[in-house]
Amino acid sequence: MSHANAELITRFYQAFQRLDAETMAACYSADVQFSDPVFTDLRGRDAADMWRMLAARAQNFSLTFDSVQADDQRGSAHWVATYLFSKTGNTVVNRIQANFRFVDGLIVEHRDHFDLWRWSRQALGTKGLLLGWAPPVHNAIRAQAAAGLRAWQSGR
């Protein structure tokens, strides 16, 4: 029998496979803290809205996950998302290591780790290859993502 928090992680990623952002959001506590190399500090509703936005905009999307582990307080998983990056039309295969913290059967902290330069090479093509390692490009990617989330939230 797997741990309840491992089942929670599995439910989260199975929902993501179906682009079911509401089920994903229901796995989070109201004050969840999310971070990854692009969205470096999202809290509460902003974290849930990020998944809602990504699910709503997904094109040619598929997701696999494995290595789910969890105990009473912490958990982890590895996942791979494949999708079309709409701004360039390029296909991205993003390999992510996720770490979680749990309280009362919900995710209170979710940290995704991936290589932003690798992502930018796929998503942005030549520009990402040549400049994707540079902090100004990382900052521009983060600013565009934050602006996209704010625009999506205001249009709902």
Side-chain angles (χ1 to χ4, degrees):
M1 186 85 172
S2 68
H3 193 282
N5 287 331
E7 292 173 9
L8 179 65
I9 293 170
T10 298
R11 184 167 51 251
F12 181 88
Y13 287 114
Q14 286 174 340
F16 200 2
Q17 287 174 321
R18 299 185 309 270
L19 297 173
D20 178 359
E22 294 310 316
T23 298
M24 295 171 71
C27 295
Y28 278 172
S29 71
D31 60 348
V32 68
Q33 187 175 15
F34 174 87
S35 69
D36 74 6
V38 175
F39 293 99
T40 59
D41 185 23
L42 296 179
R43 296 170 187 259
R45 185 155 184 91
D46 287 344
D49 280 350
M50 176 202 59
W51 296 119
R52 289 178 179 109
M53 176 186 73
L54 293 176
R57 292 180 173 174
Q59 296 178 39
N60 298 343
F61 177 83
S62 67
L63 181 134
T64 61
F65 67 97
D66 58 29
S67 304
V68 174
Q69 299 178 14
D71 60 25
D72 290 341
Q73 296 177 349
R74 300 201 176 275
S76 62
H78 176 261
W79 59 285
V80 179
T82 303
Y83 57 93
L84 184 75
F85 186 66
S86 61
K87 290 189 188 276
T88 61
N90 292 339
T91 297
V92 173
V93 179
N94 200 12
R95 300 175 194 288
I96 299 127
Q97 179 62 42
N99 294 296
F100 302 92
R101 198 166 55 80
F102 311 102
V103 172
D104 297 329
L106 294 172
I107 299 166
V108 296
E109 186 177 314
H110 178 176
R111 299 198 182 284
D112 279 349
H113 305 277
F114 62 87
D115 183 336
L116 189 53
W117 185 18
R118 185 177 193 277
W119 178 90
S120 70
R121 291 191 307 259
Q122 294 177 74
L124 305 177
T126 303
K127 178 182 176 184
L129 174 65
L130 298 175
L131 300 172
W133 57 269
V137 174
H138 289 189
N139 292 336
I141 291 168
R142 291 178 184 123
Q144 271 192 330
L149 178 57
R150 286 190 305 274
W152 185 85
Q153 287 172 319
S154 68
R156 289 185 59 205

